[in-house]
Amino acid sequence: MSPEVVKRKLELLIKYLEDLKKFKVISYEEFMENHYTVERILELLVITSSDLIFHLLAKKKEPIPSSYSVAFFVEIRE
């Protein structure tokens, strides 16, 4: 993966975290009104993070995890 792609993925992760911040201090009722938005942001964080992991592993010619959840348990060595 080129450094530009890694940079773009990291920038997306920062953006999604910033988007999530506005829900940090809301009431339960407000959360329930916006839960689909919160869920989507969390989904984007997981997908983007997993994609980054998959690409880093592919670059190192390591086996690709079978799922998003498994990707977070893989050790990427330098």
Side-chain angles (χ1 to χ4, degrees), residues 9-21:
K9 297 277 184 203
L10 292 172
E11 287 170 347
L12 278 173
L13 290 172
I14 291 168
K15 179 190 178 307
Y16 298 146
L17 288 170
E18 288 296 322
D19 292 344
L20 197 59
K21 272 186 184 178

Side-chain angles (χ1 to χ4, degrees), residues 6-77:
V6 172
K7 181 179 183 240
R8 190 173 73 236
K9 297 277 184 203
L10 292 172
E11 287 170 347
L12 278 173
L13 290 172
I14 291 168
K15 179 190 178 307
Y16 298 146
L17 288 170
E18 288 296 322
D19 292 344
L20 197 59
K21 272 186 184 178
K22 68 180 175 183
F23 299 102
K24 186 176 180 179
V25 197
I26 60 172
S27 67
Y28 177 76
E29 292 78 19
E30 290 172 304
F31 171 76
M32 290 309 293
E33 290 173 6
N34 296 286
H35 73 281
Y36 290 117
T37 302
V38 173
E39 289 173 17
R40 179 63 179 148
I41 295 169
L42 291 171
E43 180 182 23
L44 289 168
L45 280 162
V46 170
I47 291 170
T48 305
S49 300
S50 299
D51 189 41
L52 185 57
I53 292 167
F54 293 157
H55 285 292
L56 291 171
L57 288 170
K59 181 180 178 184
K60 294 182 168 291
K61 308 234 187 305
E62 295 285 338
I64 303 301
S66 57
S67 69
Y68 290 140
S69 58
V70 174
F72 290 96
F73 293 100
V74 173
E75 181 180 342
I76 301 175
R77 298 187 183 114

